[in-house]
Amino acid sequence: MFSHCGYALAFLVKQGKDEKMRERIDPGRVPRRKLYTGAEMPALGIGTFGSDKYGPQEIAQAVYGAVRGGYRLIDGAEVYQNEDKIGETLGKLFEEGTVKREELFIISKVWNDHHRQVEASCKKSLSDLGLTYLDLYFVHWPFPNYHAPGCDGDSRNPDSRPFSIEEFLDTWRQCEALVDAGLVRHIGMSNMTIPKLEAVLPLCRIQPAALEMECHPCFQQQELFDYAVSHEIQPIGYCPIGSPSRPERDRTAEDVADTQTPEIEEIARAHGIHPALVCLKWAVQRGQIPIPFSVKEPQYLSNLGCVVEDPLTSEEMERIKGAEKNCRLVKGQVFLWPGASGWEDLWDLDGTIVK
């Protein structure tokens, strides 16, 4: 147990590390991941989903500070309702000479109600962002089930339906056409399962470059992670620190807080850093690309700074494997169709696609 003097010294050391991490990080020091096309993307980015708590202007300001601080990967989506403000920020950054377009890796996603109008959705995102192309464009969810932004967890759309290989491939063909037209450089899938991937990958003309999936120490999805890597698909992990600001609809009494698990807390103490940074170090060293969200400058700069120094040891990485609790936080229940038995039906837990 710390004495008062010992605690004060530890706090000062940690404070010194935090202050150092708040300085601009050289983007060249941030690890990079190579996609199957040979293109590279940064190993950590900034998310822009405001979790129904932060407005477009706040998020755009965070993007501005993040890029000036060294970030080069921005993960966005049409449904986040902030791409126009982020576009204004990007224009300002380009005009100032802070960064060139080709130095950034920018992601967007087609939302569920636009699966039949992918090109129009993509062009709207490009217009809002003030760009001529996207580096990566995701199918946000693998079915066209819609829910209104900000809805509660009990909301259901009577037109929702289970996953359809034919419908998904129709959407994917439209995404492939975006690549052909030069509107996007890569396309990807999100919130998929192994059964769904096995059904559609053999039918793709252009393979997904990345898979966006929930991924954090208490929900590691090792089997899905390994499946993606074995197919040269780069895992991108959302909720990398357990998403403490996620919407209320995604919270249940059984949820586990990653940053409060004994494994993460003890490793954080050993390194003199916040437990959230342990989660991010683990993610990057594991090989996924985490996309943490924050509008607070000390947090988002520390998030990037933590991956360029003081790596976790192999023993610590192994210990974090033991933090797995199979605790899915974003259950997706708002996408359920009439007749579905529960959110588990979205995730094909028995190894087959639920109809």
Side-chain angles (χ1 to χ4, degrees):
M1 182 177 292
F2 283 126
S3 67
H4 289 297
C5 291
Y7 181 85
L9 178 60
F11 176 79
L12 289 172
V13 170
K14 179 183 183 299
Q15 187 179 49
K17 287 186 176 183
D18 285 347
E19 290 297 331
K20 183 179 179 181
M21 286 181 178
R22 291 174 195 176
E23 300 172 359
R24 181 185 183 277
I25 294 90
D26 178 2
R29 297 180 60 203
V30 177
R32 299 182 72 80
R33 302 281 177 249
K34 183 173 287 190
L35 304 177
Y36 78 85
T37 62
E40 293 186 342
M41 60 187 297
L44 185 142
I46 187 164
T48 59
F49 174 44
S51 300
D52 304 335
K53 292 185 177 181
Y54 299 97
Q57 195 60 53
E58 291 175 280
I59 294 168
Q61 186 58 39
V63 169
Y64 180 76
V67 173
R68 288 181 62 88
Y71 279 82
R72 294 296 179 263
L73 169 59
I74 302 167
D75 179 83
E78 172 192 6
V79 76
Y80 299 165
Q81 300 182 301
N82 54 31
E83 288 187 324
D84 55 342
K85 293 301 181 183
I86 291 174
E88 293 174 7
T89 290
L90 293 175
K92 182 178 179 182
L93 289 163
F94 298 151
E95 184 178 350
E96 291 175 348
T98 299
V99 68
K100 298 176 181 177
R101 168 63 185 97
E102 59 268 23
E103 295 173 331
L104 295 177
F105 197 100
I106 300 176
I107 298 171
S108 188
K109 309 175 186 78
V110 59
W111 187 235
N112 303 7
D113 60 342
H114 290 158
H115 278 200
R116 307 278 79 81
Q117 303 91 30
V118 174
E119 182 179 347
S121 177
C122 179
K123 286 183 174 179
K124 174 67 161 56
S125 288
L126 288 171
S127 176
D128 285 347
L129 292 167
L131 304 175
T132 59
Y133 71 91
L134 292 164
D135 296 279
L136 177 57
Y137 196 61
F138 280 110
V139 179
H140 206 149
W141 285 83
F143 28 66
N145 303 347
Y146 174 79
H147 78 74
C151 71
D152 62 40
D154 295 326
S155 295
R156 299 289 183 273
N157 187 323
D159 297 325
S160 294
R161 51 192 181 270
F163 178 79
S164 161
I165 295 173
E166 293 75 20
E167 284 191 331
F168 183 85
L169 284 174
D170 177 75
T171 302
W172 191 252
R173 297 288 180 244
Q174 295 174 66
C175 291
E176 292 174 330
L178 297 178
V179 179
D180 296 337
L183 296 176
V184 305
R185 299 283 173 86
H186 303 87
I187 49 180
M189 300 178 184
S190 181
N191 295 302
M192 293 287 275
T193 64
I194 291 177
K196 291 182 177 71
L197 289 169
E198 288 180 331
V200 301
L201 286 182
L203 304 175
C204 294
R205 176 172 63 87
I206 298 177
Q207 297 295 303
L211 174 68
E212 195 156 301
M213 53 194 280
E214 181 180 337
C215 216
H216 43 95
C218 292
F219 190 60
Q220 300 180 20
Q221 299 215 76
Q222 190 65 53
E223 187 178 1
L224 180 58
F225 181 94
D226 291 341
Y227 183 92
V229 171
S230 71
H231 287 77
E232 296 187 288
I233 302 172
Q234 172 63 53
I236 298 178
Y238 67 80
C239 299
I241 60 174
S243 192
S245 63
R246 67 189 181 280
E248 289 299 324
R249 66 174 174 270
D250 290 323
R251 298 173 184 267
T252 66
E254 297 76 28
D255 292 346
V256 177
D258 296 70
T259 56
Q260 296 175 14
T261 61
E263 298 91 342
I264 300 300
E265 287 188 324
E266 290 173 18
I267 294 170
R269 284 195 292 270
H271 287 259
I273 58 177
H274 192 282
L277 304 184
V278 174
C279 298
L280 297 178
K281 286 177 181 287
W282 167 80
V284 171
Q285 290 179 225
R286 184 193 190 204
Q288 73 200 53
I289 296 174
I291 44 172
F293 165 76
S294 177
V295 298
K296 299 174 182 176
E297 184 181 56
Q299 290 180 354
Y300 61 69
L301 292 185
S302 293
N303 288 346
L304 185 64
C306 80
V307 304
V308 302
E309 63 181 15
D310 190 25
L312 303 181
T313 67
S314 57
E315 292 78 13
E316 289 168 336
M317 290 292 292
E318 191 65 27
R319 185 155 187 230
I320 293 175
K321 284 185 179 180
E324 172 67 81
K325 303 292 189 301
N326 195 32
C327 179
R328 183 186 293 278
L329 300 175
V330 180
K331 298 172 178 65
Q333 69 276 10
V334 291
F335 300 119
L336 288 173
W337 52 89
S341 59
W343 63 263
E344 293 85 355
D345 285 358
L346 298 166
W347 304 105
D348 308 331
L349 300 185
D350 67 353
T352 59
I353 297 174
V354 177
K355 300 294 187 181

